[in-house]
Every structure is written in structure tokens, then in C-alpha cells.
Amino acid sequence: MLPWGLSCLSALGAVGTALLGAGLLLSLAQHLWTLRWTLSRDRASALPLPKGSMGWPFFGETLHWLVQGSRFHSSRRERYGTVFKTHLLGRPVIRVSGAENVRTVLLGEHRLVRSQWPQSAHILLGSHTLLGAVGESHRQRRKILARAFSRAALECYVPRLQRALRREVRSWCAARGPVAVYEAAKALTFRMAARILLGLRLDEAQCSELARTFEQFVENLFSLPLDVPFSGLRKGIRARDQLHRHLEEAIAQKLLEDKTAVEPGDALDGIIHSTRELGHELSVQELKESAVELLFAAFSTTASASTSLVLLLLQHPAAIAKIQQELAAQGLGRACGCAPAASGGGAGPPPDCGCEPDLSLATLGHLRYVGCVVKEVLRLLPPVSGGYRTALRTFELDGYQIPKGWNVMYSIRDTHETAAVYRSPPEGFDPERFGTAGDDALGAAGRFHYIPFGGGARSCLGQELAQTVLQLLAVELVRTARWELATPAFPAMQTVPIVHPVDGLRLFFHPLASPAAQDGQRL
């Protein structure tokens, strides 16, 4: 029997040997992983692969990306340049930023690249969506959806949108405590999308239940493609199936009613009508996937941008003053004269006050500064960081080869942050950069310096609707309320997968004096 000291030394030696062996195995695995992707370059091209790291076997750099957020991309851009390689969500990725590089990618749709979302997103959204369509199928679907976002359709949406936004702002002012703006904006956006875009007849309880399910769906949209118990993909599939069950009955009823409709009343009606005009009939499954896609397109991004608008206006009171001046000059300075109704301690928004909407697309078109504020919000805090494509063939970008079959992820945020076409530094908040001189600077040659809605064949169809919602919100906020932080300091921003304040942006809202009170003060 060995002495106790020798036994300890022997055990420590065995542990050390095991750790050394494990370390060598990990090092060998990472070396082979790196070699595997180095050898995947297109040997017919003399150009090298972009610089960068492929991370760890299978996981790549996904965990770093999720933890570091926007810092992940900015740090690698500083180290490797505006084109670099990485491995995210199970796929090799070329990350691209800079107006010229992004222009090549966006205008290369169907020729150099095709749309490619992560495998998890493709599984969850389904095969009958605009996001997943390519070639002629994409062109046909885009034509069908365009009717739902035409100017005539927007004109119909504006009064209903204004009523919903006015009611929401009044409920914030009536709240007994702080309002978590991001959560409230998500609930509001979902209600507007479900009722106004989809025309679903949902009471508050049904709407809240469906919104919670949808949020779980969105939270797991970008996950590792592992359909195993407790995985993000499994949770997303469960949420998707629940959504489809909720939507199926409503859509079936809508199809029956729609056969007698002369004109579409909402976006989903528009899709049904446009498809029938082309001699087709959509199945219930296709409509369920189209409905979820419409919700997805409107939900997180619009809620994110709405929250960013509230935050940036709070941080820049001079912008609020300029909006108030512009509204007064247009005869729109007075808000609805009804006093804010009690919110009922979280029982839902107050009822409509009955005041008629006073805004239209034409009216909003005259509010130049409001439009500039919305553009600046979307430039400084774009809701999504970029978009995915897949290389259809090997091509050159910034002196590097982009191999056929690799994913290409163009960066909206990095491109905005590095743009050098504005008269003021890109990191500052300056709505006037989008004045007449600013629009000239963003002419045809420079338009890819500003891409909150993407560009090319896959530019966002709903961009005018999104900007309209933000303009309406800005007007209702500024002429109805003042707001202040309910926390000691402004929150940090999380940027993956959707931009939002980490604490949800907790604010106190206070109603401004009513028109009658203002008249009394002047007397």
C-alpha cells in the first residue's frame, strides 16, 4: 500500500494527464474545424477567404454572438475589417458592412445571392412565406402582398391606427405607476397587427393570450437547429403550433365571409383578393403562415422602433420642442380634449374616447421635422442588425472570395455607424441630417448608407406603414404627454436579436393640460 502522500501525487498526476489529454483533444478538434472551413474555399478563385474565426466545432461563435450582442460584430470589424468570416447558428457566415459592400449584396438578389434565414427561422415560419420564397415565387408573392401596403390601404389604416395609438398614450398617462414601454409597445403592436392588418376579432383576453404565445415564437426564431427536448427550436415549434390552432378557425370564417366582400378590409383580405385575381386560391395552411409572417414583420421591429422613439425623444428634449412648434404651425398642436381614463390597474387600455382622428397621410406628409425624427431613430437604433443571404455562386467582395453556398449577413447597424456622407457625426442624434441637404447627400450613389428597411428586391414592403405608425406615435405623444425616467439612469440597450432596453424602459407619463385648461390659463 502506497503512503498517503504518494497516493495524492499519483492521483494528481492522473488528473493532470487527463486534463492535458482533454486539452490536446480540444485543440486538435478546433484545428480540424478551422482546417475544414479553410479547405472549403473555392479553389477556382485565386482570392483568399475573408479574415476571421470559425469558433468552436459545431457551435462556432454563436454563444459569443448571443452574449456580446453588437459588441461581437464591432470588435471583429475593428480586428478584421468590413468583410469577415464567422460561424453562427450552425452555418458559415460572411459578415458584410459598408455601403458599397452592402449595395453589391442587396442588388445581387437572384444573381449573386438569394435570401437565406437561419434554418430555425425557416422551420418555424414555414415554406409559404415571402421571406423563404426565391425567384419567380418571390416576385409573385411580393406582388400579392404589395396590395396590402399600397397607399390606398394605408389611407384606410391611418384612422384606426391613430385611435389605437391615442388610446394607448392615454392609458400610459393614466397608469398608477411606471410603464414598461417596450412591453407595452409589444402588446400595442400585436393588437394593431392582429386587429387592423389581419382583421381578427379578438377580445382583450384572447389578444393577450395570443400575444404571449407569439412572443415565445419570436424569442425562439433564431436558435440552434436542434429539435430536442427543452431546446429553443422545440419551444418555437410548440408556440407555432399553438398560433396556427388559434388562427385556423378565424381564417376559415374569414374565407367564408370574404367570398361576398367587394373590397378588402384589411391586409389579409388584400392577400386573399390579390391571389384570386391571379387565378389562385390559398389554402388555410398558406394563409396561416402568411398571417404569422405579417405579425412577425410588424411585431418586434415596430415595437422596438416605437420604444427607441420614446427613449431618444426623452434624451433630446429640443426635438420635442421642435415637433411641438411644427404641430402648432400646422394647426395640430391640440391633442384630444378628453381627460385620460383610468387604466384599471392593468385590466387593459381605456375605451375609445370618441374623438375623431385628425391625421391622414397627406397631413403627415406636411410634418417634415416629424418625418426627420423618425428617420433618425431608425438610423441610430435600427430594430434589426442585418439580413441573411446565401451565395448562389462565388463572387468577389472587397478583395475576398465569398464562396458559393456560404451565408452572407449584411449589417445595417455597422453600415449606419460608419457612414461618412452626413454633415454631422453618425454617432450623434441629429434629425436635421435628413433635411433637404441631407436627402441630397443620400442621393442614388449614397442611398445604401441608410438601410433600416434593407434594399433591392427584398426591401421591406411595410416600410411606409412602419414609418406612418412612428409618425402617428410621435404626434400623439408630444401633444398629449410628458414623460420621465422611473429609474436612476437610462438603460443599456440589448441588440440581439432585436434592439430594446434591457429593463424595458420604465417611465412615468403625465398628461399635458387639456385644451380647455390651456384656454383658461390664457384668459
Side-chain angles (χ1 to χ4, degrees):
M1 183 174 180
L2 290 174
W4 181 81
L6 290 176
S7 297
C8 288
L9 288 175
S10 177
L12 288 173
V15 170
T17 301
L19 290 174
L20 178 62
L24 289 173
L25 283 174
L26 283 174
S27 179
L28 177 62
Q30 187 169 24
H31 175 74
L32 291 174
W33 176 255
T34 301
L35 181 63
R36 178 253 189 274
W37 294 112
T38 301
L39 293 176
S40 71
R41 66 179 298 276
D42 188 343
R43 296 182 184 181
S45 171
L47 296 172
L49 285 171
K51 299 175 183 178
S53 169
M54 303 304 282
W56 291 96
F58 184 73
F59 292 101
E61 295 193 298
T62 300
L63 297 179
H64 296 83
W65 173 56
L66 293 174
V67 170
Q68 296 176 11
S70 62
R71 182 58 190 161
F72 172 85
H73 298 296
S74 61
S75 64
R76 282 152 181 77
R77 186 186 73 226
E78 293 166 4
R79 189 186 312 169
Y80 304 123
T82 56
V83 179
F84 63 85
K85 69 176 183 287
T86 183
H87 194 280
L88 301 174
L89 299 174
R91 293 286 299 166
V93 176
I94 304 294
R95 174 81 173 189
V96 176
S97 61
E100 285 305 312
N101 293 331
V102 170
R103 180 179 184 275
T104 299
V105 172
L106 293 180
L107 295 187
E109 186 71 32
H110 307 311
R111 179 174 53 88
L112 299 178
V113 298
R114 64 175 174 82
S115 177
Q116 177 62 58
W117 285 62
Q119 189 178 353
S120 58
H122 181 74
I123 292 170
L124 294 176
L125 287 169
S127 58
H128 304 103
T129 60
L130 183 67
L131 294 176
V134 295
E136 184 59 29
S137 172
H138 172 260
R139 281 186 281 270
Q140 286 295 323
R141 282 188 185 278
R142 190 174 175 89
K143 182 178 180 180
I144 289 169
L145 283 171
R147 179 169 180 172
F149 299 103
S150 65
R151 187 171 182 85
L154 290 179
E155 287 283 12
C156 294
Y157 302 152
V158 166
R160 288 180 280 174
L161 290 170
Q162 187 184 354
R163 285 192 182 97
L165 289 163
R166 175 185 287 169
R167 184 171 67 154
E168 186 70 16
V169 173
R170 290 173 67 236
S171 77
W172 294 352
C173 291
R176 297 188 179 95
V179 175
V181 176
Y182 184 53
E183 293 302 316
K186 285 191 291 186
L188 167 67
T189 303
F190 186 85
R191 283 197 303 274
M192 291 193 299
R195 292 172 175 169
I196 298 174
L197 288 185
L198 301 186
L200 301 181
R201 300 185 183 95
L202 301 169
D203 60 30
E204 287 300 325
Q206 291 173 321
C207 203
S208 297
E209 180 185 356
L210 202 59
R212 286 192 295 269
T213 303
F214 186 75
E215 189 164 358
Q216 186 178 35
F217 169 83
V218 172
E219 286 174 355
N220 293 288
L221 198 59
F222 300 98
S223 54
L224 289 172
L226 293 173
D227 185 10
V228 297
F230 308 111
S231 67
L233 182 60
R234 179 66 62 84
K235 294 176 183 176
I237 290 173
R238 187 163 53 246
R240 179 203 62 193
D241 292 344
Q242 291 173 357
L243 277 173
H244 283 190
R245 284 194 295 272
H246 275 283
L247 289 167
E248 187 164 354
E249 183 178 346
I251 288 173
Q253 182 64 32
K254 195 173 190 63
L255 283 171
L256 290 174
E257 294 175 354
D258 189 71
K259 291 183 183 295
T260 61
V262 178
E263 289 294 329
D266 51 62
L268 197 55
D269 283 339
I271 293 172
I272 295 169
H273 275 252
S274 297
T275 307
R276 286 175 176 168
E277 287 174 359
L278 293 173
H280 302 295
E281 189 77 26
L282 292 177
S283 67
V284 173
Q285 180 65 26
E286 289 175 309
L287 284 171
K288 285 190 293 187
E289 291 182 8
S290 295
V292 171
E293 182 178 33
L294 283 173
L295 288 173
F296 170 65
F299 178 66
S300 296
T301 52
T302 306
S304 167
S306 299
T307 305
S308 296
L309 172 69
V310 177
L311 172 64
L312 289 171
L313 285 178
L314 178 60
Q315 292 175 328
H316 300 89
I320 294 178
K322 287 185 178 180
I323 292 175
Q324 290 172 333
Q325 292 170 7
E326 183 171 67
L327 292 175
Q330 296 292 329
L332 298 169
R334 291 189 175 193
C336 166
C338 301
S343 64
D352 290 327
C353 63
C355 296
E356 288 298 316
D358 61 348
L359 299 174
S360 64
L361 288 181
T363 306
L364 293 175
H366 290 111
L367 300 177
R368 186 195 66 83
Y369 187 75
V370 172
C372 290
V373 167
V374 167
K375 289 180 180 178
E376 181 68 346
V377 169
L378 294 170
R379 185 198 67 84
L380 200 59
L381 292 173
V384 294
S385 62
Y388 286 93
R389 300 290 187 270
T390 294
L392 293 173
R393 61 181 178 86
T394 300
F395 64 96
E396 177 184 353
L397 203 60
D398 208 20
Y400 297 105
Q401 66 162 273
I402 310 301
K404 178 182 177 180
W406 281 44
N407 281 8
V408 180
M409 185 178 184
Y410 71 89
S411 172
I412 295 173
R413 187 172 298 111
D414 289 359
T415 299
H416 287 181
E417 288 177 356
T418 57
V421 297
Y422 302 110
R423 65 182 183 182
S424 57
E427 65 271 14
F429 180 80
D430 179 18
E432 293 291 355
R433 76 173 80 240
F434 290 102
T436 304
D439 287 338
D440 291 342
L442 284 173
R447 70 178 185 272
F448 288 93
H449 289 282
Y450 179 75
I451 49 170
F453 299 104
R458 289 190 180 271
S459 60
C460 176
L461 272 173
Q463 58 184 283
E464 288 190 33
L465 174 61
Q467 291 180 101
T468 297
V469 169
L470 295 174
Q471 287 175 293
L472 290 168
L473 176 59
V475 171
E476 290 300 332
L477 269 173
V478 166
R479 66 182 185 177
T480 302
R482 61 180 178 84
W483 56 103
E484 59 186 354
L485 278 176
T487 54
F490 286 106
M493 300 296 287
Q494 181 172 321
T495 58
V496 176
I498 299 291
V499 169
H500 65 276
V502 293
D503 70 348
L505 189 60
R506 296 174 61 79
L507 301 178
F508 290 112
F509 287 85
H510 310 284
L512 296 178
S514 66
Q518 293 172 2
D519 291 340
Q521 290 171 2
R522 282 192 289 270
L523 292 174

